[in-house]
Amino acid sequence: MGAIGLAGSGPLSSLFSSDYLPHRYCYLAQPGLVWTNAVADALIAISYVSLFACLFWLAAKVRHAAVLQPYLWIFIGFGLFILACGVTHGMEIVTIWWPVYPLSAAFKILCAAISVSTAVMFAKATPTLAGSVLLVIDSLARERQETETEAAHYQAQIEAINRSQLIVEFDMDGTIIKANDNYLRTFGYQAVEVIGKHHSSFVREEYKHSAEYEKFWNELRTGHYQAGLFRRMDKQGNPVWIEASYNPILGPDGVHTKVGRFSS
């Protein structure tokens, strides 16, 4: 009341005129009716202010995106419109106890001005917005189609390599995690017989314990591929010479997660 009384003596005195009855008398001062309206208006006002804050936060986050810069005014316009609506609900609470109806009317005029301006601007921009949205949708559809086509091409390449090469995958300690049919046929194994076995099971015993073999895997673990002619052993213990490349493969985090061997 002190702030209202102070304003009542200044140039804005007409806005704080108290020549009226508080709104609660319209409710016959019934507590249930008074507080139902007060609480409802308070919740609506808080919701509007929250939406306003979210819109401005979103506008701040996307303001550097070139494709959205022409439409930032939409976030700002709707944000101000929502905030103004929230203020009018706040004034509904104030006038329950303080009859500052001229001030409430002033805020409603401000809300109306913002609402009409936003509505007119949005109505004028709607055709352009519709065209822009369609362009974005078409662009996204094209990108998706290109991505799917590229993925299909990669899959076709993988299948072609799988048909012609002996492919084995190892984890970084040398344990087999996957082997294709060409490899299994060539070495005489079933998948269940090789999955989980170490690479050293397929080399000569003396080579397994050599410094050369240890260096071979140390190089792979540090990301250096190995290629050449290698002697390996099949299920019967017979030597099989393969022209192969061992390739460390990066995971999504940039760390080597497995080694792929391609051979013929």
Side-chain angles (χ1 to χ4, degrees), residues 16-77:
F16 294 89
S17 173
S18 57
D19 297 335
Y20 309 94
L21 289 174
H23 209 173
R24 63 192 178 94
Y25 289 111
C26 295
Y27 303 140
L28 301 179
Q30 295 180 15
L33 198 54
V34 169
W35 286 107
T36 296
N37 282 275
V39 171
D41 279 313
L43 292 175
I44 294 171
I46 292 170
S47 299
Y48 276 138
V49 172
S50 298
L51 290 170
F52 162 79
C54 291
L55 281 173
F56 267 70
W57 179 86
L58 184 59
K61 289 294 183 181
V62 303
R63 70 183 186 279
H64 297 303
V67 69
L68 292 177
Q69 285 180 354
Y71 309 110
L72 287 179
W73 67 267
I74 296 177
F75 294 96
I76 297 172

Side-chain angles (χ1 to χ4, degrees), residues 30 55 96 132 154 159 182 210:
Q30 295 180 15
L55 281 173
I96 291 176
S132 298
Y154 278 125
E159 290 175 357
N182 288 340
S210 68

Side-chain angles (χ1 to χ4, degrees), residues 176-177 179 183-184 189-198 202:
I176 295 177
I177 55 178
Y183 171 84
L184 296 173
Y189 285 101
Q190 299 293 320
V192 294
E193 296 177 293
V194 297
I195 303 302
K197 296 188 70 171
H198 194 271
F202 306 93

Side-chain angles (χ1 to χ4, degrees), residues 1 15 25 34 49 103 109-110 112 129 138 164 166 168 171 181-182 198 210 214 232 234 249 251 259:
M1 290 297 293
L15 293 178
Y25 289 111
V34 169
V49 172
L103 180 62
I109 291 172
L110 177 63
L129 285 173
D138 288 342
S164 62
L166 284 65
V168 188
D171 63 17
D181 291 339
N182 288 340
H198 194 271
S210 68
E214 182 179 358
R232 299 293 181 252
D234 66 11
I249 298 172
V259 174

Side-chain angles (χ1 to χ4, degrees), residues 166 187 228-230 232 240-244 246 261 263-264:
L166 284 65
F187 283 80
L229 185 64
F230 300 95
R232 299 293 181 252
V240 178
W241 290 91
I242 57 173
E243 186 76 34
Y246 290 76
R261 190 190 77 186
S263 58
S264 58

